[in-house]
Amino acid sequence: WALAGAAFAAVLQFGMPTVAFDEGSPIQMLALKIGMGWTAFFLVLPAVLGDQRSGWSRQALSLRPLAAIGAVSYGIYLWHIIVVGLLRKYTLAGIVPAQFRVWWPTTVAISVVLGTVSYWAVERPAMRWSHRATRASRVNSATQRSCVSAPDSPGMDAPDGA
């Protein structure tokens, strides 16, 4: 955890933007991306390499709200790109303030709502359908194998015209 804090402190040294869509110099943005990548890496590392049965990070990750966010996280990831694009459009038009403290929570809130809706309306039904289709194909292939492998078994009728 200390390494994650150190990586984030290093990111802050490069001047994290306080105004939305203030991109800074290319070197500054590269350092920001690399620093945030290392921060994320060191945040996840203890959860992956630590004791899988104990620890406060395991207890925190097993909380229902965090498990729910984990279930819809792919939708959040996909939607946040669209939300940021729209906020950028409205920020440049002067409709939404450009302060980070305004657009970041707005992006998170809208993305979580849209990610949750898309999970329940699209992702979950698609997963159920794929499991049903997989199960049906397994049953069909097992039935076909048993019929093909033993055509002359006692109790099986001969095909018509035989």
Side-chain angles (χ1 to χ4, degrees):
W1 299 105
L3 291 173
F8 188 68
V11 166
L12 294 177
Q13 292 301 314
F14 283 101
M16 189 150 179
T18 56
V19 176
F21 315 112
D22 176 25
E23 296 193 3
S25 72
I27 295 294
Q28 190 178 25
M29 293 313 296
L30 178 63
L32 178 69
K33 302 292 185 203
I34 291 171
M36 293 306 278
W38 280 111
T39 300
F41 174 77
F42 289 128
L43 276 174
V44 171
L45 195 63
V48 173
L49 297 181
D51 183 6
Q52 300 295 313
R53 292 164 298 200
S54 66
W56 70 269
S57 61
R58 294 269 174 242
Q59 291 172 351
L61 291 173
S62 67
L63 294 173
R64 285 192 111 135
L66 288 180
I69 292 292
V72 300
S73 63
Y74 186 63
I76 294 170
Y77 167 73
L78 292 176
W79 281 108
H80 96 277
I81 298 164
I82 296 167
V83 172
V84 166
L86 289 172
L87 283 176
R88 181 180 184 134
K89 177 181 172 183
Y90 291 125
T91 297
L92 295 176
I95 298 169
V96 175
Q99 285 78 22
F100 180 80
R101 62 184 158 77
V102 173
W103 66 262
W104 186 82
T106 304
T107 299
V108 170
I110 294 171
S111 299
V112 167
V113 168
L114 291 173
T116 302
V117 169
S118 66
Y119 173 79
W120 287 101
V122 177
E123 197 174 337
R124 189 162 171 150
M127 288 188 295
R128 265 192 310 224
W129 175 82
S130 73
H131 291 296
R132 237 182 278 140
T134 304
R135 203 174 317 122
S137 70
R138 279 191 214 136
V139 169
N140 287 340
S141 66
T143 304
Q144 288 172 353
R145 276 195 306 264
S146 67
C147 290
V148 171
S149 64
D152 296 328
S153 300
M156 290 192 70
D157 294 334
D160 290 340

